[in-house]
Amino acid sequence: MLEFLLWGLNGVPVILWQRLHNQTHHAETNTMKDTDRLFVEKERSTSTTFYARLFLPSRSTLKYNPLVLFHFVTYIVRHSVSALMPGAAKLPIVTSKPKYSARQYSQLLAGIGFIGLLQTGIWFIVGQDWGRYVWASPIALLVTSSVVMTYIFTNHHLNPLCEFSDPLVGSTSVIVPNWMDWLHDNFSYHTEHHVFPGMNPKFFPEVSRLLHEHFPDRYNRIPLREAWKRIWLQDEFIQMGD
């Protein structure tokens, strides 16, 4: 129930996150089946170009466009809509859609309904005041999205798209101040998270040391500021890597 509550406060149906992140993104990191990957050149269209230039940092996007930080919100919305579409149908701005069983489809509808109830509850808790509600929910969600996407863009979008999933090739860890690692539970060690997704994050610095020792040519760990600068210099549509 706690998982439903915490993800629900962020507008995320639990089954959607399980299918997108746990079962697809982790298994298919930076492959064509990855639900989190960038668009590839052959997917270029009016809709994907429009979406990319609004919500994805690149050299074609307005420099430091703040809308890119709200991408987590649009990510959840577009994948939720696609998940509700029949069969393999999906929105053009969705890179990949995992399959949903009838039970999972029902769980998705229940999750969306639960989020609606949560938002209604927040509305009443703040005294049915629009000003308070905007601060209590939409703005809070946008702040969360900004923090999350600062990491996610730099954790994956600098890496090549590959034929087979490889957590070392397909992800990047970023170096942040100690207070950020403390506050965000070592989320900056993202490659480590992909190698050992069930591990307690407090051990990630040691995993980082071992990865650097044994895979110095494949392990990616760079300062967050440098990674963020590189993001804005890349192409909006990517090519396949090796």
Side-chain angles (χ1 to χ4, degrees), residues 1-10 12 14 114 118:
M1 187 60 190
L2 182 60
E3 186 177 19
F4 276 90
L5 176 62
L6 295 179
W7 279 119
L9 288 172
N10 287 286
V12 184
V14 173
F114 181 70
L118 275 178

Side-chain angles (χ1 to χ4, degrees), residues 72-147:
F72 186 70
V73 178
T74 62
Y75 171 86
I76 295 302
V77 171
R78 63 193 173 112
H79 277 289
S80 293
V81 172
S82 290
L84 292 172
M85 296 171 71
K90 65 178 181 63
L91 295 176
I93 56 174
V94 165
T95 54
S96 181
K97 174 186 174 179
K99 293 180 180 179
Y100 292 86
S101 66
R103 179 181 179 183
Q104 290 168 337
Y105 188 86
S106 299
Q107 290 174 325
L108 176 62
L109 290 175
I112 293 173
F114 181 70
I115 292 170
L117 290 175
L118 275 178
Q119 293 303 311
T120 302
I122 293 173
W123 165 252
F124 280 103
I125 289 172
V126 300
Q128 302 177 55
D129 180 276
W130 280 111
R132 294 176 181 176
Y133 175 77
V134 168
W135 280 99
S137 188
I139 290 181
L141 181 55
L142 293 179
V143 170
T144 299
S145 176
S146 298
V147 174

Side-chain angles (χ1 to χ4, degrees), residues 3-4 8 10-11 18 79 84 99 114 128-131 140 156 163 167 176 190-191 196-197 199 211 214 217 233:
E3 186 177 19
F4 276 90
N10 287 286
Q18 290 174 348
H79 277 289
L84 292 172
K99 293 180 180 179
F114 181 70
Q128 302 177 55
D129 180 276
W130 280 111
H156 289 296
E163 184 177 359
V176 301
H190 202 70
T191 300
F196 297 110
M199 178 179 283
L211 290 176
H214 294 282
D217 297 330
L233 298 176

